[in-house]
Amino acid sequence: MAEVILEKVGKTYPNGFKAVLDANLKVDDKEFVVLLGPSGCGKTTTLRMIAGLEEITEGTIKIGGKVVNDVEPKDRDIAMVFQNYALYPHMTVYENMAFGLKLRKTPKPEIEQRVKEAARILGIEQLLDRKPKQLSGGQRQRVAVGRAIVRNPKVFLFDEPLSNLDAKLRVQMRAELKRLHQNLQATIIYVTHDQVEAMTMADKIVIMKDGIIQQIGDPYSVYFEP
Ligand code: ADP
Ligand code: ADP
């Protein structure tokens, strides 16, 4: 089970700025939840706290019943996909996807099997020997997703993964990510400022504004302020 629970979560940055206030949220196992809101409303901060990349200054976050801060970063059953892809430029696609598994001392044959399987799912098998700079934006995004998939985490965190892609590719990748969610049977928390993305992908939408969760509901019951 990989529920994600936020209890009275807040973030005060060292300069005193309160980016997130009293956030309460329950993400069910295998649910696809979208955090939606304008730039600067605290979505990324929230996601980074869930990922353990940002200190939680108020309240508690639990994943699968465990308080995140009690679990070593490398033992967290979680993988994050970043907007800028964050690929290592000097490594091949294969090495980028294998890197996290190598760090965790996964046996080589298993790494090879997992990387190839993820590459097959994402349709990037023919790109494994390339470097990131030899890839299109959409291909880079698939590699970034592949690097998350190989770890086989129960929770995926996506931070505006499609916002650097052109409109046509964005539509295609939305459908791909949605299908992927169905295949992986994983919990997904997905950050975007794009209403259409939220409407088409989410089981549940969480609307944030000025660091506060304003509404939580299914795509047909939340109300978007223009
Ligand atoms: P979003 O992802 O919704 O665009 P963020 O979570 O990135 O929003 O940022 C929320 C707010 O916190 C913004 O006003 C931003 O300027 C502020 N912020 C982000 N990082 C820091 C930081 N390290 N110190 C102070 N304020 C920050
Ligand atoms: P190292 O340099 O430590 O051997 P690499 O990550 O470069 O680590 O490669 C590890 C293994 O992964 C290689 O021995 C090979 O079996 C496999 N491998 C690397 N690149 C590819 C690829 N493009 N396709 C299939 N297998 C690969």
Side-chain angles (χ1 to χ4, degrees), residues 94-95 102 108 112 116 128-129:
Y94 182 95
E95 290 162 343
K102 252 177 142 173
K108 232 171 176 178
E112 193 166 330
K116 286 184 172 167
L128 288 174
D129 293 321

Side-chain angles (χ1 to χ4, degrees), residues 88-93 95-96 127-135 140:
Y88 301 108
H90 58 289
M91 294 185 192
T92 64
V93 167
E95 290 162 343
N96 264 286
L127 305 177
L128 288 174
D129 293 321
R130 291 207 201 165
K131 297 276 178 68
K133 69 172 186 302
Q134 302 169 300
L135 303 175
R140 282 179 206 180

